[in-house]
Amino acid sequence: MKHILTIGMVLFVLSSSTTAQSADLPQYKPLFNGKDLSGWVNVNTDKDTWYVKDGMLVCTGHPIGVMRTDKQYENFLLHIEWMHMEAGGNSGVFAWSEGTVPEGRRLPKGMEIQMLELDWVNQHKQKDGSLPPIAYVHGELFGANGLITTPDNPRGSRSKSIENRCKGKGQWNVYDVVCVDGVVKLSVNGKFVNGVRNASIKKGYLCLESEGAEIQFRNIQIMELPPGITTQKQTAPLLK
């Protein structure tokens, strides 16, 4: 039970002090302003991979790579809404990322929160011809390129969602992510379904992933929470 953490619990702790003034409490702030890419840095994609249309952040999916926030985050709540436009589309968001891509790779070291469209399982059958379980296709959590975690619902080193709550292409999905002191809890469309703990990196950049298919994002907001005891070894290198 000690690893269970929800948005409600976090907010309760933050608001329980009778001496705290409302102006001092953490508030959600936009990470995407709906107008341009202010606050984001292209890492290894083309200049036209990401663009804004009708208040939406659109990713073409080509080439494979990421863009990152211009600052690092440690403890926070992330709200992000996303919609795949192609069957079997692949994307995700990275937390606590180094914000750079190792030589020979296209994606960074970081904590990946997977976003796969429902038809992905039909397009990626297992060697025996069977389909991967549907819960794998969204909300899987795992450390990428060297970040290590302990999964709540193990599938090897990854943690799988215990219930499929994802909607298919052309429909909006909502992720609410709690990232606190190396613990990640993920809510998909209003219900917590996955988590990891003991992340080896606990402070870094947020990255959005381009991985072969068009995806749109909207209403990306973050609430920064008080810092913890995070060592330099647990912090991603600071980029200019």
Side-chain angles (χ1 to χ4, degrees), residues 2 15 17 47 56 66-67 88 94 103 106-107 109 125 146 160 166 185 216 222 234:
K2 65 180 180 179
S15 61
S17 173
K47 63 180 181 180
M56 312 298 178
V66 296
M67 70 172 182
F94 287 78
E103 184 176 355
R106 294 182 288 186
L107 299 174
K109 179 179 180 179
K125 294 181 180 179
K160 62 185 178 182
C166 191
K185 295 293 181 180
Q216 298 185 9
I222 193 165
Q234 296 169 323

mmCIF file of all heavy atoms in Angstrom, residues 2 15 17 47 56 66-67 88 94 103 106-107 109 125 146 160 166 185 216 222 234:
data_model
loop_
_atom_site.group_PDB
_atom_site.id
_atom_site.type_symbol
_atom_site.label_atom_id
_atom_site.label_comp_id
_atom_site.label_asym_id
_atom_site.label_seq_id
_atom_site.Cartn_x
_atom_site.Cartn_y
_atom_site.Cartn_z
ATOM 1 N N LYS A 2 2.107 1.158 0.455
ATOM 2 C CA LYS A 2 2.907 2.377 0.591
ATOM 3 C C LYS A 2 3.221 3.029 -0.737
ATOM 4 O O LYS A 2 3.603 4.189 -0.790
ATOM 5 C CB LYS A 2 4.203 2.075 1.335
ATOM 6 C CG LYS A 2 5.143 1.134 0.590
ATOM 7 C CD LYS A 2 6.393 0.889 1.403
ATOM 8 C CE LYS A 2 7.346 -0.058 0.683
ATOM 9 N NZ LYS A 2 8.570 -0.270 1.468
ATOM 10 N N SER A 15 -3.260 20.758 0.285
ATOM 11 C CA SER A 15 -4.279 21.722 0.694
ATOM 12 C C SER A 15 -4.666 21.605 2.162
ATOM 13 O O SER A 15 -5.497 22.366 2.648
ATOM 14 C CB SER A 15 -5.545 21.530 -0.165
ATOM 15 O OG SER A 15 -6.080 20.236 0.016
ATOM 16 N N SER A 17 -2.974 22.152 4.961
ATOM 17 C CA SER A 17 -2.444 23.108 5.917
ATOM 18 C C SER A 17 -3.403 24.284 6.084
ATOM 19 O O SER A 17 -3.807 24.927 5.131
ATOM 20 C CB SER A 17 -1.079 23.631 5.457
ATOM 21 O OG SER A 17 -0.645 24.679 6.299
ATOM 22 N N LYS A 47 11.965 20.320 -38.967
ATOM 23 C CA LYS A 47 11.348 21.575 -38.536
ATOM 24 C C LYS A 47 9.840 21.585 -38.750
ATOM 25 O O LYS A 47 9.116 22.352 -38.107
ATOM 26 C CB LYS A 47 11.983 22.764 -39.245
ATOM 27 C CG LYS A 47 11.810 22.767 -40.755
ATOM 28 C CD LYS A 47 12.474 23.981 -41.367
ATOM 29 C CE LYS A 47 12.276 24.012 -42.881
ATOM 30 N NZ LYS A 47 12.923 25.206 -43.502
ATOM 31 N N MET A 56 -4.513 22.933 -31.896
ATOM 32 C CA MET A 56 -3.993 21.607 -31.587
ATOM 33 C C MET A 56 -2.504 21.550 -31.913
ATOM 34 O O MET A 56 -2.038 22.177 -32.868
ATOM 35 C CB MET A 56 -4.703 20.516 -32.394
ATOM 36 C CG MET A 56 -6.211 20.600 -32.387
ATOM 37 S SD MET A 56 -6.912 20.408 -30.735
ATOM 38 C CE MET A 56 -8.658 20.624 -31.119
ATOM 39 N N VAL A 66 12.011 13.157 -31.008
ATOM 40 C CA VAL A 66 11.284 13.851 -29.947
ATOM 41 C C VAL A 66 11.538 15.352 -30.005
ATOM 42 O O VAL A 66 12.505 15.822 -30.608
ATOM 43 C CB VAL A 66 11.693 13.344 -28.541
ATOM 44 C CG1 VAL A 66 11.324 11.881 -28.356
ATOM 45 C CG2 VAL A 66 13.176 13.578 -28.280
ATOM 46 N N MET A 67 10.648 16.084 -29.344
ATOM 47 C CA MET A 67 10.955 17.443 -28.918
ATOM 48 C C MET A 67 10.757 17.487 -27.411
ATOM 49 O O MET A 67 10.000 16.672 -26.848
ATOM 50 C CB MET A 67 10.103 18.482 -29.642
ATOM 51 C CG MET A 67 8.658 18.523 -29.290
ATOM 52 S SD MET A 67 7.886 19.992 -30.080
ATOM 53 C CE MET A 67 6.200 19.844 -29.464
ATOM 54 N N GLY A 88 -3.251 1.929 -35.616
ATOM 55 C CA GLY A 88 -1.970 1.375 -35.205
ATOM 56 C C GLY A 88 -0.896 2.395 -34.919
ATOM 57 O O GLY A 88 0.281 2.050 -34.824
ATOM 58 N N PHE A 94 7.655 11.266 -22.633
ATOM 59 C CA PHE A 94 8.738 10.874 -21.735
ATOM 60 C C PHE A 94 8.778 11.834 -20.550
ATOM 61 O O PHE A 94 8.731 13.051 -20.722
ATOM 62 C CB PHE A 94 10.086 10.938 -22.445
ATOM 63 C CG PHE A 94 10.326 9.837 -23.441
ATOM 64 C CD1 PHE A 94 9.745 9.882 -24.700
ATOM 65 C CD2 PHE A 94 11.150 8.767 -23.128
ATOM 66 C CE1 PHE A 94 9.983 8.881 -25.628
ATOM 67 C CE2 PHE A 94 11.389 7.757 -24.048
ATOM 68 C CZ PHE A 94 10.807 7.806 -25.298
ATOM 69 N N GLU A 103 23.856 8.261 -29.281
ATOM 70 C CA GLU A 103 24.335 7.944 -30.615
ATOM 71 C C GLU A 103 23.824 6.575 -31.056
ATOM 72 O O GLU A 103 23.855 5.607 -30.289
ATOM 73 C CB GLU A 103 25.866 7.959 -30.640
ATOM 74 C CG GLU A 103 26.465 7.742 -32.016
ATOM 75 C CD GLU A 103 27.971 7.847 -32.021
ATOM 76 O OE1 GLU A 103 28.549 8.188 -30.967
ATOM 77 O OE2 GLU A 103 28.580 7.591 -33.089
ATOM 78 N N ARG A 106 17.171 6.740 -31.724
ATOM 79 C CA ARG A 106 16.302 7.833 -32.163
ATOM 80 C C ARG A 106 15.453 8.401 -31.028
ATOM 81 O O ARG A 106 14.791 9.421 -31.198
ATOM 82 C CB ARG A 106 15.399 7.345 -33.305
ATOM 83 C CG ARG A 106 16.172 7.004 -34.571
ATOM 84 C CD ARG A 106 15.295 6.578 -35.711
ATOM 85 N NE ARG A 106 14.730 5.239 -35.494
ATOM 86 C CZ ARG A 106 14.020 4.573 -36.403
ATOM 87 N NH1 ARG A 106 13.770 5.132 -37.574
ATOM 88 N NH2 ARG A 106 13.547 3.370 -36.151
ATOM 89 N N LEU A 107 15.463 7.720 -29.877
ATOM 90 C CA LEU A 107 14.675 8.158 -28.728
ATOM 91 C C LEU A 107 15.572 8.303 -27.510
ATOM 92 O O LEU A 107 16.598 7.631 -27.400
ATOM 93 C CB LEU A 107 13.540 7.159 -28.454
ATOM 94 C CG LEU A 107 12.532 6.987 -29.600
ATOM 95 C CD1 LEU A 107 11.532 5.879 -29.285
ATOM 96 C CD2 LEU A 107 11.810 8.289 -29.891
ATOM 97 N N LYS A 109 16.888 8.653 -23.348
ATOM 98 C CA LYS A 109 16.767 8.016 -22.047
ATOM 99 C C LYS A 109 15.677 8.735 -21.274
ATOM 100 O O LYS A 109 15.638 9.969 -21.246
ATOM 101 C CB LYS A 109 18.091 8.096 -21.284
ATOM 102 C CG LYS A 109 18.055 7.466 -19.892
ATOM 103 C CD LYS A 109 19.423 7.566 -19.222
ATOM 104 C CE LYS A 109 19.417 6.942 -17.826
ATOM 105 N NZ LYS A 109 20.756 7.015 -17.192
ATOM 106 N N LYS A 125 1.320 -8.929 -34.628
ATOM 107 C CA LYS A 125 1.025 -10.235 -34.045
ATOM 108 C C LYS A 125 2.291 -10.867 -33.475
ATOM 109 O O LYS A 125 3.408 -10.601 -33.922
ATOM 110 C CB LYS A 125 0.409 -11.145 -35.104
ATOM 111 C CG LYS A 125 -0.968 -10.692 -35.593
ATOM 112 C CD LYS A 125 -1.535 -11.662 -36.619
ATOM 113 C CE LYS A 125 -2.909 -11.210 -37.090
ATOM 114 N NZ LYS A 125 -3.476 -12.137 -38.105
ATOM 115 N N GLY A 146 18.094 3.004 -20.622
ATOM 116 C CA GLY A 146 18.923 3.002 -19.420
ATOM 117 C C GLY A 146 18.258 3.473 -18.149
ATOM 118 O O GLY A 146 18.796 3.254 -17.052
ATOM 119 N N LYS A 160 2.484 -3.013 -17.393
ATOM 120 C CA LYS A 160 1.340 -2.960 -18.308
ATOM 121 C C LYS A 160 0.092 -2.435 -17.593
ATOM 122 O O LYS A 160 -0.067 -2.586 -16.384
ATOM 123 C CB LYS A 160 1.051 -4.344 -18.870
ATOM 124 C CG LYS A 160 0.674 -5.373 -17.820
ATOM 125 C CD LYS A 160 0.513 -6.755 -18.423
ATOM 126 C CE LYS A 160 0.187 -7.783 -17.337
ATOM 127 N NZ LYS A 160 0.072 -9.144 -17.879
ATOM 128 N N CYS A 166 -8.460 2.752 -23.345
ATOM 129 C CA CYS A 166 -8.068 3.601 -24.459
ATOM 130 C C CYS A 166 -9.140 3.637 -25.543
ATOM 131 O O CYS A 166 -9.806 2.640 -25.806
ATOM 132 C CB CYS A 166 -6.763 3.083 -25.041
ATOM 133 S SG CYS A 166 -5.976 4.177 -26.215
ATOM 134 N N LYS A 185 2.287 7.183 -11.440
ATOM 135 C CA LYS A 185 0.955 6.581 -11.487
ATOM 136 C C LYS A 185 0.211 7.185 -12.661
ATOM 137 O O LYS A 185 0.209 8.404 -12.843
ATOM 138 C CB LYS A 185 0.185 6.830 -10.185
ATOM 139 C CG LYS A 185 0.787 6.170 -8.951
ATOM 140 C CD LYS A 185 0.709 4.662 -9.024
ATOM 141 C CE LYS A 185 1.289 4.023 -7.766
ATOM 142 N NZ LYS A 185 1.224 2.541 -7.807
ATOM 143 N N GLN A 216 -2.285 14.032 -32.539
ATOM 144 C CA GLN A 216 -2.568 15.396 -32.131
ATOM 145 C C GLN A 216 -2.647 15.467 -30.606
ATOM 146 O O GLN A 216 -3.080 14.515 -29.946
ATOM 147 C CB GLN A 216 -3.878 15.882 -32.748
ATOM 148 C CG GLN A 216 -3.841 15.920 -34.267
ATOM 149 C CD GLN A 216 -5.093 16.510 -34.879
ATOM 150 O OE1 GLN A 216 -5.951 17.050 -34.194
ATOM 151 N NE2 GLN A 216 -5.193 16.416 -36.206
ATOM 152 N N ILE A 222 0.689 21.262 -16.611
ATOM 153 C CA ILE A 222 1.528 20.685 -15.568
ATOM 154 C C ILE A 222 1.337 21.443 -14.263
ATOM 155 O O ILE A 222 1.170 22.670 -14.256
ATOM 156 C CB ILE A 222 3.013 20.699 -15.984
ATOM 157 C CG1 ILE A 222 3.837 19.812 -15.054
ATOM 158 C CG2 ILE A 222 3.564 22.114 -16.055
ATOM 159 C CD1 ILE A 222 5.212 19.482 -15.594
ATOM 160 N N GLN A 234 20.632 11.272 -9.723
ATOM 161 C CA GLN A 234 19.234 11.006 -10.063
ATOM 162 C C GLN A 234 18.630 12.115 -10.921
ATOM 163 O O GLN A 234 17.426 12.106 -11.170
ATOM 164 C CB GLN A 234 18.420 10.845 -8.785
ATOM 165 C CG GLN A 234 18.833 9.646 -7.943
ATOM 166 C CD GLN A 234 18.211 9.657 -6.562
ATOM 167 O OE1 GLN A 234 18.058 10.709 -5.930
ATOM 168 N NE2 GLN A 234 17.826 8.493 -6.085
#
